[in-house]
Amino acid sequence: DILRDNFGQEQDQEEPVYTAGEDHHCSEYVHQRACNDHISCDPTDGVGVASLQIDVEETEQLVGLAGTQSDTIDRPLISDEFSDLFFQPESDEEESGSTQLLSEKENVSSRLYEGSALSVCASNVLIMKYKLKHNLTQDALGDLLSLLCIHCPSPNECPPSVYKFRKHFGQLKYPINSHHFCSSCLWSIDDLSQVQSCPNPYCSKDVMFRKKAVSSFIEVPIEPQLKTFFERRGFFELIRERVDLRKGHGGILSDVYDGVVYQRLMSKGFLTDQHNISFIFNTDGIPVYKSSGYAFWPIFFLINELPYKLRIAREYRILAGLWHGSIKPDMTLFLKPVAVSLRTLFETGCTTPCGRGSTHTYPYQEADPSGPIRTHQEVCELAQAAIEKGIPVSGVKGPSWLATVPSFDTIDGTSVDYMHCVLLGVARLLLRLWLNSCHHKELWYIGTQQAAIDTRLCGIRPPREIQRLPRSTQTTLKFWKAHELRAWLLHYSPIVLFGILPDVYYQHYLLLVEAVFLLLKDEVSHDDLSQSTHLLQHFCFMMSSMYGDRYMTANVHSLLHLPDVVRKLGPLWAHSCFPFEAANGELLTFFHGSQGIEKQVVDHISTLHKLPKLAEASLSAGSPEKDFYHHMTPQGTQARKNQTKVNEHHTLLGNPRFPNLTPTEKYLFSLAGVETLSHASEISSYNEILISKGNRTVCTTRETMRDDSCLAYSDSSGRCFGLLQNIFAVKNSGKLQCFLLVKTLSAAALNICTDSITHAKLNHIQAFYPPRAEDLCLISARQVQEKCFMIDVAKDLGYVFVSRFPNVSEVE
């Protein structure tokens, strides 16, 4: 009662909150018991980006939260608690008279056929997992079922049709609420089957037989999705494991937990309770067909308390809603069902068993570079003015439905997404300025040397951590993806442009490179924040005088806010749009054909969420079927058959060879304290090694279109760099040791960054003399610190360069 009284008071005192633009990237916080919410537009410009935060205060003691693991979870066959989920399918109008594949609970543990090692349930789980991974069409799934039925002895319990196979998973579907709107006037249509024209008397457009005439929004309640996650074995423990990390790292920013906003909520907000969880939220448009304007606008939530790799995995994404239609959504309509759902969650809780035209410019103000920071009260006043005038005021368009959810902070929750702002914004802008022939009279123009640029760029052999190989700027620049622009900004461009871009512009550009690298580190210190602020301020200050006021765009101005965003919300990678863009891309693979595609998407996601629980109940640990299930998981790493585990951090891959050591190798072994062995079989060599320190990466001696041989290691002189030449396993007295033969790199006294005002150093890229065949050393695998990659494309300079990755969290 006290909480609800407070809720009513907060609601009465809450000012309207407003959203700007069409793309929304939000960081928000929620608890499964109760949640308070707020959304905000850009704190200074009010263009394009908005964010959502959900503040949560626990309303009462959670019921059964710790009891998420059932006693029956370890049984190899499916138990009674899952039998209802498996064998009580929804009714189907087309085949309402069809019988169930297994009609009685006594048959739940039945085998696929007499003498089979697989149960019917386990077989169906594996088939569904195979279907999800390979995105099978209905026809392909039907053919697969027929093929399996032929291979199994008769009689068998193989599902004879797609229909009966899907009956097994009928109860996996989430409940959905559909909202329909006229595409012309956005008038709400309560029952689409009962109307022929738009109910709006001033519109009256035909909506019965025209697909483009209706836009729809499917709401998927958040509560059942959260319940599904907490019912999985180990999910609650994953949340609890992050408790220590959420306490902060003494000024080091290593994730969203270390940001000012999160720490504030931990000290005096809903996150003081370790059971509470938080979200990051995003919505953006996805064109569905190339031949029409039909598009999806999904609303995705990610759970911040999960480890980053799981946080972005599709099995843990929450789909809160899906707009689909031929027009972009009106945010006042689009966000209303989500806001109502969140408010309901707050009130009731969730119990879980454990070109042409003009350009707006932003001149650099030396006295106040970032400009005055907006306040919540100011945004509310601007929104009120927008309502009264009927037009946007300072970028604020009007009230948001999310304002109905309590406890909004319209400023601190706002994130400037570096993928759109830095990569697709500023980095792409500079490339076009340098290479577009319309600027041929400008001092910065280097389009005449584009062939030389492409020669260097396409000669780079990146490691497998960068999935896309470099592409030509002459033919494919307009098709570059954000991942390619990230590799260009952080790694390629400082080397490729060295000696080509005029030095004054080159040094100016390196300020941006270093600043972004600092803000993308695994751990961002206060010194990093201070240095990046200084670098970005000087970059923006010089941008106007070097390129003109015309190019002082909103993205350039937003660079000034990046350090403050990191201070509040953690490193840039912790709240970027990369995982959401990946989710949007995957969403397009969740349907086939053109009929009922929105429901196909929701059903696909429902199955993704709930299938792991069924797998736990029906697949035995260590069994071949369990191994196959993990192999079908996209985020999983396929276990190679030929592996030799040295220790918890190092695994040798492939078949061993038993070479005769060269005199140099014997000498290096003696220096490493390894006695000369009498039997050559005690020393074997490999081509690849898997190193698991922070992340999993493979170093190899093989030469291909990629170079996975460069690494940083430690010795008595400090950090050193080298190229992997051979991998040795030494077995002595039953103990296995791993040694790496490395071609060492000698540092050169060359500093490509020479800005005397900011004292930028660009430490993540270093110059070395070309490696020599005789410069070899033998190191223990434990000395390896990180994987890097060598860029050897500027042969005319007489140097090679080594670039380091900013973090181990972002994966392409």
Side-chain angles (χ1 to χ4, degrees):
D1 291 338
I2 294 175
L3 175 66
R4 292 176 180 173
D5 289 342
N6 291 337
F7 175 81
Q9 294 173 8
E10 290 184 2
Q11 183 182 7
D12 293 339
Q13 298 171 2
E14 189 74 6
E15 293 289 341
V17 185
Y18 315 90
T19 182
E22 297 165 347
D23 293 346
H24 297 262
H25 177 234
C26 316
S27 68
E28 74 226 52
Y29 305 89
V30 74
H31 174 231
Q32 62 269 23
R33 284 295 314 163
C35 59
N36 303 329
D37 179 352
H38 81 256
I39 189 167
S40 67
C41 60
D42 184 280
T44 58
D45 306 325
V47 292
V49 180
S51 72
L52 170 71
Q53 275 191 314
I54 306 170
D55 293 349
V56 186
E57 296 178 1
E58 191 170 15
T59 57
E60 60 188 20
Q61 184 176 4
L62 293 179
V63 179
L65 183 62
T68 57
Q69 298 184 17
S70 171
D71 295 336
T72 61
I73 214 80
D74 291 326
R75 297 180 185 176
L77 299 177
I78 198 154
S79 58
D80 290 343
E81 69 169 304
F82 297 102
S83 59
D84 291 339
L85 186 64
F86 236 86
F87 301 111
Q88 291 187 6
E90 297 174 346
S91 61
D92 192 296
E93 295 179 0
E94 297 180 0
E95 298 190 41
S96 57
S98 299
T99 58
Q100 298 179 16
L101 188 61
L102 294 177
S103 58
E104 300 180 1
K105 288 189 178 181
E106 295 80 30
N107 294 330
V108 165
S109 300
S110 64
R111 297 292 170 174
L112 196 60
Y113 54 85
E114 185 177 355
S116 172
L118 277 179
S119 68
V120 175
C121 300
S123 173
N124 288 329
V125 167
L126 294 178
I127 295 172
M128 178 60 77
K129 192 68 175 178
Y130 181 86
K131 173 191 179 296
L132 294 178
K133 177 177 179 180
H134 296 288
N135 194 29
L136 298 185
T137 63
Q138 180 166 318
D139 288 342
L141 178 60
D143 292 342
L144 176 64
L145 294 175
S146 299
L147 184 64
L148 293 176
C149 190
I150 293 173
H151 277 74
C152 293
S154 297
N156 60 63
E157 299 293 342
C158 295
S161 66
V162 174
Y163 170 77
K164 291 195 173 182
F165 173 73
R166 287 180 173 172
K167 280 290 184 179
H168 283 274
F169 302 95
Q171 293 300 313
L172 293 187
K173 298 179 181 180
Y174 286 130
I176 61 174
N177 301 317
S178 297
H179 308 267
H180 305 285
F181 306 92
C182 172
S183 296
S184 298
C185 65
L186 294 178
W187 192 277
S188 177
I189 303 174
D190 294 333
D191 189 350
L192 190 61
S193 63
Q194 300 297 320
V195 298
Q196 295 184 353
S197 60
C198 174
N200 182 1
Y202 298 99
C203 178
S204 301
K205 293 288 182 67
D206 181 15
V207 298
M208 191 170 189
F209 301 107
R210 295 175 57 211
K211 183 176 181 180
K212 292 184 178 180
V214 177
S215 294
S216 301
F217 175 75
I218 289 182
E219 175 196 357
V220 187
I222 298 174
E223 178 183 343
Q225 298 184 68
L226 284 176
K227 286 182 177 179
T228 298
F229 295 158
F230 275 96
E231 288 170 359
R232 293 185 191 173
R233 176 190 294 183
F235 179 82
F236 185 67
E237 285 68 23
L238 284 173
I239 300 297
R240 292 290 302 273
E241 286 176 2
R242 310 297 285 177
V243 171
D244 292 338
L245 297 178
R246 292 162 59 184
K247 296 177 181 178
H249 293 79
I252 300 297
L253 301 169
S254 61
D255 206 336
V256 66
Y257 319 121
D258 302 314
V260 170
V261 173
Y262 199 100
Q263 289 298 313
R264 181 193 306 150
L265 294 173
M266 281 199 66
S267 62
K268 56 181 180 180
F270 71 95
L271 290 176
T272 54
D273 191 311
Q274 64 184 15
H275 297 97
N276 294 358
I277 60 176
S278 64
F279 290 133
I280 186 169
F281 156 83
N282 172 275
T283 181
D284 200 357
I286 319 168
V288 177
Y289 306 115
K290 294 182 179 180
S291 58
S292 71
Y294 195 83
F296 279 157
W297 283 73
I299 301 178
F300 280 117
F301 289 80
L302 304 182
I303 301 174
N304 286 322
E305 283 65 31
L306 288 173
Y308 187 77
K309 298 291 178 63
L310 294 179
R311 186 186 312 170
I312 65 177
R314 64 182 185 178
E315 287 84 1
Y316 290 99
R317 297 182 197 134
I318 295 176
L319 179 69
L322 183 69
W323 175 285
H324 53 98
S326 58
I327 62 171
K328 293 182 179 180
D330 184 319
M331 289 300 164
T332 58
L333 300 175
F334 186 42
L335 298 178
K336 177 182 177 180
V338 178
V340 172
S341 176
L342 291 173
R343 181 170 176 175
T344 301
L345 188 63
F346 175 86
E347 293 175 334
T348 62
C350 171
T351 302
T352 170
C354 196
R356 291 179 180 178
S358 59
T359 300
H360 191 111
T361 63
Y362 297 81
Y364 182 86
Q365 303 292 335
E366 188 170 0
D368 187 9
S370 299
I373 302 299
R374 288 179 176 177
T375 64
H376 173 80
Q377 182 62 33
E378 179 187 356
V379 172
C380 294
E381 293 172 356
L382 290 173
Q384 184 63 36
I387 296 174
E388 295 172 355
K389 296 181 180 180
I391 59 173
V393 177
S394 298
V396 181
K397 295 185 175 182
S400 166
W401 268 102
L402 292 174
T404 62
V405 185
S407 299
F408 249 126
D409 186 326
T410 59
I411 301 302
D412 288 348
T414 299
S415 171
V416 178
D417 173 47
Y418 93 96
M419 186 191 82
H420 288 96
C421 171
V422 180
L423 304 179
L424 297 173
V426 180
R428 177 173 284 177
L429 169 66
L430 291 173
L431 271 168
R432 289 172 175 171
L433 289 176
W434 297 332
L435 302 177
N436 197 315
S437 60
C438 67
H439 304 296
H440 67 278
K441 294 182 179 180
E442 304 293 347
L443 295 176
W444 68 71
Y445 179 67
I446 54 175
T448 56
Q449 302 186 65
Q450 206 162 354
I453 292 174
D454 283 353
T455 299
R456 288 186 178 183
L457 180 61
C458 296
I460 296 175
R461 296 191 299 141
R464 65 188 67 192
E465 281 73 14
I466 300 177
Q467 290 188 357
R468 291 180 178 268
L469 293 172
R471 294 194 287 174
S472 167
T473 61
Q474 298 183 80
T475 58
T476 61
L477 180 58
K478 63 181 179 180
F479 302 113
W480 281 16
K481 305 295 184 182
H483 284 294
E484 293 173 281
L485 288 166
R486 180 172 61 187
W488 165 264
L489 176 74
L490 297 178
H491 307 294
Y492 304 158
S493 59
I495 313 306
V496 170
L497 298 176
F498 185 54
I500 293 179
L501 186 66
D503 191 62
V504 62
Y505 295 98
Y506 179 73
Q507 296 300 327
H508 172 254
Y509 173 69
L510 293 185
L511 302 179
L512 176 65
V513 176
E514 181 177 355
V516 175
F517 184 89
L518 292 175
L519 298 177
L520 281 171
K521 291 170 60 176
D522 279 313
E523 297 182 345
V524 182
S525 66
H526 284 303
D527 289 341
D528 294 330
L529 285 177
S530 177
Q531 176 67 354
S532 62
T533 300
H534 187 35
L535 293 170
L536 291 173
Q537 286 181 356
H538 190 58
F539 176 85
C540 294
F541 173 72
M542 296 298 296
M543 185 77 179
S544 176
S545 61
M546 298 181 72
Y547 294 95
D549 288 340
R550 163 68 178 82
Y551 300 107
M552 292 296 292
T553 62
N555 283 325
V556 173
H557 174 75
S558 295
L559 294 175
L560 297 168
H561 297 288
L562 291 180
D564 196 48
V565 168
V566 171
R567 183 179 64 84
K568 292 176 180 178
L569 300 176
L572 292 179
W573 55 263
H575 43 86
S576 80
C577 279
F578 273 111
F580 293 107
E581 292 294 331
N584 289 345
E586 288 183 4
L587 201 69
L588 297 178
T589 67
F590 290 176
F591 63 89
H592 296 283
S594 58
Q595 302 298 316
I597 58 177
E598 62 280 354
K599 292 186 178 180
Q600 291 185 51
V601 169
V602 176
D603 290 348
H604 191 111
I605 291 177
S606 301
T607 305
L608 275 176
H609 286 176
K610 297 187 177 183
L611 196 62
K613 183 181 177 182
L614 300 181
E616 290 174 6
S618 59
L619 304 178
S620 302
S623 64
E625 53 267 27
K626 189 74 170 183
D627 293 340
F628 180 79
Y629 178 88
H630 286 305
H631 171 60
M632 289 292 104
T633 303
Q635 282 74 26
T637 301
Q638 180 181 0
R640 300 193 186 185
K641 293 182 179 179
N642 299 320
Q643 291 189 357
T644 304
K645 188 169 184 179
V646 180
N647 52 55
E648 59 179 339
H649 298 302
H650 303 97
T651 303
L652 302 172
L653 306 178
N655 293 317
R657 305 185 308 274
F658 301 96
N660 294 319
L661 297 181
T662 66
T664 301
E665 290 170 343
K666 291 181 179 180
Y667 174 71
L668 291 174
F669 268 113
S670 66
L671 293 180
V674 178
E675 296 293 336
T676 303
L677 304 173
S678 56
H679 301 287
S681 60
E682 294 185 4
I683 295 184
S684 56
S685 67
Y686 296 80
N687 285 325
E688 293 184 325
I689 180 172
L690 175 64
I691 301 176
S692 304
K693 290 184 177 180
N695 68 334
R696 294 165 61 88
T697 184
V698 174
C699 292
T700 179
T701 61
R702 293 191 177 101
E703 291 190 7
T704 63
M705 295 182 68
R706 297 184 174 277
D707 184 359
D708 290 290
S709 66
C710 189
L711 48 83
Y713 61 94
S714 61
D715 68 3
S716 57
S717 61
R719 181 192 291 266
C720 300
F721 296 86
L723 304 177
L724 185 62
Q725 302 298 298
N726 209 339
I727 304 167
F728 293 106
V730 178
K731 189 174 183 180
N732 192 4
S733 302
K735 184 178 180 181
L736 190 64
Q737 293 179 287
C738 181
F739 292 91
L740 309 180
L741 183 65
V742 174
K743 186 184 295 184
T744 59
L745 296 173
S746 300
L750 173 67
N751 187 5
I752 61 176
C753 190
T754 58
D755 184 76
S756 59
I757 298 178
T758 62
H759 303 291
K761 298 179 180 179
L762 207 69
N763 286 332
H764 74 283
I765 295 180
Q766 293 181 248
F768 296 87
Y769 294 111
R772 299 183 302 176
E774 62 270 21
D775 294 335
L776 297 174
C777 73
L778 192 69
I779 64 172
S780 168
R782 296 182 181 275
Q783 294 177 246
V784 176
Q785 295 180 334
E786 61 180 312
K787 184 178 178 180
C788 310
F789 74 97
M790 185 180 71
I791 302 176
D792 182 15
V793 295
K795 300 184 183 300
D796 54 315
L797 301 175
Y799 300 103
V800 298
F801 297 87
V802 172
S803 183
R804 295 167 48 222
F805 295 100
N807 60 72
V808 298
S809 299
E810 288 184 298
V811 177
E812 295 188 16

